[in-house]
Each structure stands twice: as structure tokens, then as C-alpha cells.
Amino acid sequence: MNNCIIKNSRNTNSAPKNHLSTQTVAFSHYNNISAQLPLDPKTGNIVIGGIKEQAKQCLSNIKSIVESIGHVMDDLVKINIFVKEIEDIKIIDEIYTSFFDNSLPTRTVVAVAALPISDALVQMDALLSNGEGTTPQKPCALLKVSRNTVDAPLMNESTQTVAFSHYNNLSAQLPIDPLTGKLIDGGVEEQTKQCFNNIKAILKSIGHVTADIVKTTIYIKNIRDVDTVNDICNQFFYDYIPARTIVKATDLPMEALVQIDVVVSHGDGTPPQLPEDSRFIVIEASNTDKAPKSSYSHTVAFSHYNHLSGQLPIIPETGKIISDNITEQTEQCFNNIKSIIESVEHVMDDIVKVNIQLKNIDDLDIVNEIYVQYFKNALPARTIIGVSSIPMRALIQVDAVVSNCEGTPPQNKCYKLT
């Protein structure tokens, strides 16, 4: 591990523990919280009841983790909600806002094919602001900046963009006309353009542009649309294309064909963080020949984080899937992740969050046996979902977020400890 990276990996007995992940992993000014299933932490069993009871348990588990490290729910900047049935979000929303006192975090909602426990109807993960920082980062006051613009669709259950420190997290954007509040007419091409037009409107409202995006996550209904969606997305960027992950959704809100969320560099920071002159902000996009080539960046660093693109089990030299065996595919995905991380002079233990998509959720035990071999110390926070298909007919896809102690100009380094 890079000897200036001091992650803060913590668990509490007040939330379900998993020996294959850490409940919350903090680095610099953010905490990454593992996906929470509707498990009673005392019994380890799924709570009795339907979607409302399960959603309440997920949120209660997140709240317990948040409070165990001296935070409150209003410190959350992002929540991702994975449901088995998209219509269940209406019931979830009946209790969702009661967990917050002030402005709501940004949010992504998606229906997926499967969750790690078969009886689970919902799973949630979260990103938390971390004003105290991690050694040797200096603490800063917790002052989130939550903003909306009428030029993009407004939602009662989320804020369009929430900034803290030197990142903005946007709520996932659907292909909604902000004037009518309805889905636009047309197919996936028109819908993808509308998603990005909404993203551009939000960015413009806060003085940013698409070139400030460091990571895009694209949820699509039909995997056959992936090439079309990728081509349109690339049109919104110029010589720099951010890291990217494609997720096959079983369903999306409002029966949309596509939904896009983004993470944005935020040089202006939030008080009392000092603004950085945008002319000198450097986003470090990096690629390596030791990982499969794509039309987007392997990893994008800004400030004290690296965001990696979703990695398929592709052999870099051939551009083909290694085999149809889940063991070999899992090893290849993590070898690709490892190659990217090592190409920017980091190690696997610098990862703070891992996201895994599985074609067959029953493969999870095999994946777990391989997964733990890639880490020597405390395991990262983690989210696992089952999807009905993955690009190139793969069985697994993995992306990650990596701590970045060296920062990017004009950020100061996290100085090495002696």
C-alpha cells in the first residue's frame, strides 16, 4: 500500500456485518458505505414484511453505520437504490424522506435482476461526506452545497447536485423534458441525448461543463443498445472521455430506456475549502496497454480519488473474453483492475469501493473465493447486483474507486508519514 494512504475502515455491531466487505471506508473527505440489505443486525435474517419494511431496514442500517462514525443522515451526498420491482419505489418513497431533516441527497434508482440474498426486495448503498478527513488530511467543516435548477427535471425525493469538498455528485438523469416533466418522444438515441442535455443544464447552473465529469454510470434497458448509447455519450466529450460503467437495468423509472449519473470534479470546493482556479485544475485520465482498450478512460483521477471504468473479463492482448468459465472471468476482471491500479502506482489495498455485476447471482460464492485473494488488509466497501446481461455476454463486470493520496494539481499531496 502507498505509505501515505491512511484509509479508515470501520464496522459497527449496530448494522449487519459481512466478512467480505467493510461497512464504511473513509479516505480524505468522503466515506464509501457498503450496500445494505434488509437484514436485522441482531439476527442476521431478512426482516419480516414487504418492501416498506425492507426499505426501512436498509435505511436504518445505513443510519446506524453513519451514526457509529459520528455523522448524521443529512451528511449523505448520494444514495443508490436497487430494487427488484421498479414500482416498489413508490412505496419506498413513503418512508424515505423521513430519514432526513434537511436537503435530500442525490439519488439513483434502478431495478435489477437479482440481489445477493434471494428474498431481498431492495438494497441501498451510500456516499457520505467526511469533514474530519483521514490522516494526514486536515479536517474541514461539513458544509454541503445542495442545488437545483429549473432547466433540468426536478424531483421531490432528491437534489439534482450535492457538492462537498472537491466533488459534485449528480442524481441520475432520466430522459425527461424539464418543461413538461414527461419522457421525451423517441427511442434510445433521443433519450440518451436528453439525459445528457439535462446533465449539461445542471452543470451549467453550477458553473461547470461536461469536461469536468470524471465518471459516468449508464443504466440501459436493452444491452443491444450499448453501442448506440456509447457513441452518443462520446459526442458530448471532446479529447477527454471520462471513466464509464454500463449497467443492464431490468427496469428504470418512468419506463425509460436509459438513465445516466455522473461524478463531477469541483475545483471551487465548499466552504471552508478554498476555491481552486479552474484554469489550473488537472483531471488525470490514464490508460494502460495491460488492460483492455475502450473508447473511454481506464481511470480518471481528480483531487484525492481515482474512478475506474467497469472492467470486463477481456484479455488485453486479444480484446476477447477469456472463456465462459466464471472462475477465469473473475480472475481476468480483477487482473485488469490490478493492472490499471498498478499503472498509476497504486495497489489493490488502496481501493475504497468495489462494484460487482453478476450474470448469475449463484456464482457469488466462487467470486468471493477469488475476490479476497486480491487484498492483504481490510476489505473495501462493496456493492453486488445481479443483472440479466453484461456487454460482450460476459458473466461478470467490476469497477472500483481508489484512494489517491498524491492528489492532482493544484491539490496538495497527502504528505507521507514518518
Side-chain angles (χ1 to χ4, degrees), residues 53-230:
E53 291 77 13
Q54 289 201 13
K56 186 176 181 180
Q57 188 64 55
C58 289
L59 288 162
S60 296
N61 290 341
I62 289 174
K63 186 171 186 279
S64 294
I65 295 168
V66 167
E67 292 179 346
S68 75
I69 56 175
H71 283 266
V72 295
M73 288 292 278
D74 282 340
D75 295 338
L76 290 175
V77 297
K78 180 71 184 284
I79 286 187
N80 297 306
I81 302 177
F82 303 96
V83 292
K84 292 289 292 297
E85 300 292 339
I86 200 66
E87 288 299 315
D88 283 344
I89 194 62
K90 296 176 182 177
I91 300 174
I92 292 170
D93 285 342
E94 293 175 9
I95 54 100
Y96 177 78
T97 56
S98 66
F99 281 81
F100 305 93
D101 293 325
N102 298 300
S103 61
L104 294 166
T106 60
R107 193 171 83 161
T108 295
V109 175
V110 59
V112 296
L115 295 171
I117 297 178
S118 60
D119 293 333
L121 303 174
V122 60
Q123 175 181 251
M124 303 182 194
D125 67 15
L127 183 65
L128 178 72
S129 54
N130 186 45
E132 61 270 29
T134 53
T135 306
Q137 292 278 88
K138 293 180 179 179
C140 68
L142 273 174
L143 293 173
K144 296 189 308 181
V145 177
S146 304
R147 290 171 284 191
N148 290 297
T149 174
V150 295
D151 294 326
L154 295 168
M155 298 292 176
N156 293 328
E157 294 79 20
S158 64
T159 304
Q160 287 171 352
T161 176
V162 177
F164 180 71
S165 186
H166 290 123
Y167 274 97
N168 270 292
N169 284 268
L170 270 63
S171 286
Q173 291 302 300
L174 291 160
I176 297 172
D177 183 333
L179 297 177
T180 66
K182 298 179 180 179
L183 284 185
I184 63 162
D185 294 330
V188 70
E189 183 173 348
E190 291 79 12
Q191 289 199 13
T192 305
K193 289 178 180 177
Q194 186 63 46
C195 290
F196 262 103
N197 285 335
N198 291 339
I199 289 168
K200 286 178 67 177
I202 296 169
L203 293 178
K204 183 180 178 180
S205 74
I206 58 174
H208 283 270
V209 295
T210 53
D212 295 332
I213 294 172
V214 297
K215 174 72 187 288
T216 57
T217 302
I218 302 173
Y219 301 91
I220 57 174
K221 281 281 295 294
N222 301 310
I223 202 70
R224 63 178 180 271
D225 290 335
V226 66
D227 290 337
T228 300
V229 172
N230 276 330

Side-chain angles (χ1 to χ4, degrees), residues 287-358:
N287 291 287
T288 174
D289 292 336
K290 295 182 179 180
K293 292 181 180 179
S294 68
S295 63
Y296 37 85
S297 303
H298 282 151
T299 178
V300 178
F302 176 73
S303 184
H304 291 127
Y305 278 97
N306 275 291
H307 293 263
L308 271 63
S309 289
Q311 292 302 301
L312 294 165
I314 296 173
I315 301 171
E317 294 82 4
T318 65
K320 297 180 179 179
I321 297 289
I322 186 168
S323 71
D324 59 1
N325 178 275
I326 185 59
T327 298
E328 293 180 351
Q329 288 202 16
T330 303
E331 290 172 346
Q332 189 64 54
C333 282
F334 280 100
N335 286 338
N336 291 341
I337 294 271
K338 186 170 183 283
S339 293
I340 294 169
I341 288 174
E342 290 178 348
S343 75
V344 291
E345 298 182 352
H346 281 264
V347 296
M348 291 290 285
D349 280 327
D350 293 340
I351 293 176
V352 295
K353 178 71 189 297
V354 169
N355 300 302
I356 301 176
Q357 299 174 48
L358 290 177

